[in-house]
Amino acid sequence: ELQQKVEEAELLKMELQMLETERVRLSLVEEKLLDVLQLLQQLRDLNISKRALGKILLSTLESCHAPQPGKAHLFEVLDTLQQELAACELLLREPVEQGQSPQSLSNPLVISC
């Protein structure tokens, strides 16, 4: 009976570790999604066209195409989309720094990985 209790305790410990791992993974996905949404908001504030945003999204999906999407693949897509949007935002920022388009970019975007 004591052996059975020890085995049950080990099982519960393993389940707890799995849950903690999943919680951390979900936290990382949430952070990445918030970064992507911030970039989208900034690009919208810069009046980027829907067509340009659509091209970025399609480009991201094509570059991350996988036959069997899974948890790691979803994070890869979010990460790639974040990078594509950030690159676009940086390209739009150059004319602003030269004074051609005085739109508000006072808050530099911090991207967490």
Side-chain angles (χ1 to χ4, degrees), residues 1 4-5 8 33 39-40 49-50 54 67-70 83 90-91 97-99 103-104 108 111:
E1 190 174 310
Q4 185 179 3
K5 295 280 186 190
E8 286 177 12
L33 187 56
L39 282 167
L40 286 171
S49 72
K50 291 178 183 179
Q68 296 179 347
Q83 291 170 12
L90 290 174
L91 291 175
E97 290 176 355
Q98 296 170 0
Q103 292 172 336
S104 172
I111 300 174

Side-chain angles (χ1 to χ4, degrees), residues 2-92:
L2 182 60
Q3 180 65 26
Q4 185 179 3
K5 295 280 186 190
V6 168
E7 289 174 4
E8 286 177 12
E10 286 297 318
L11 253 155
L12 289 173
K13 189 176 180 181
M14 286 176 43
E15 284 184 36
L16 184 61
Q17 286 175 340
M18 288 172 36
L19 286 173
E20 182 63 22
T21 301
E22 186 66 10
R23 186 193 65 77
V24 169
R25 187 191 70 80
L26 287 174
S27 178
L28 291 172
V29 169
E30 180 184 28
E31 287 177 25
K32 188 63 67 175
L33 187 56
L34 287 174
D35 290 342
V36 167
L37 291 174
Q38 278 184 318
L39 282 167
L40 286 171
Q41 183 65 46
Q42 285 186 348
L43 290 173
R44 190 180 124 215
D45 291 346
L46 292 171
N47 295 323
I48 191 169
S49 72
K50 291 178 183 179
R51 176 174 275 191
L53 283 176
K55 285 181 180 180
I56 292 170
L57 180 59
L58 288 175
S59 170
T60 299
L61 293 175
E62 286 175 7
S63 69
C64 295
H65 181 69
Q68 296 179 347
K71 294 176 184 177
H73 177 71
L74 294 176
F75 190 80
E76 176 190 354
V77 171
L78 272 178
D79 190 48
T80 303
L81 180 57
Q82 177 199 19
Q83 291 170 12
E84 292 282 334
L85 291 171
C88 179
E89 197 271 336
L90 290 174
L91 291 175
L92 291 175

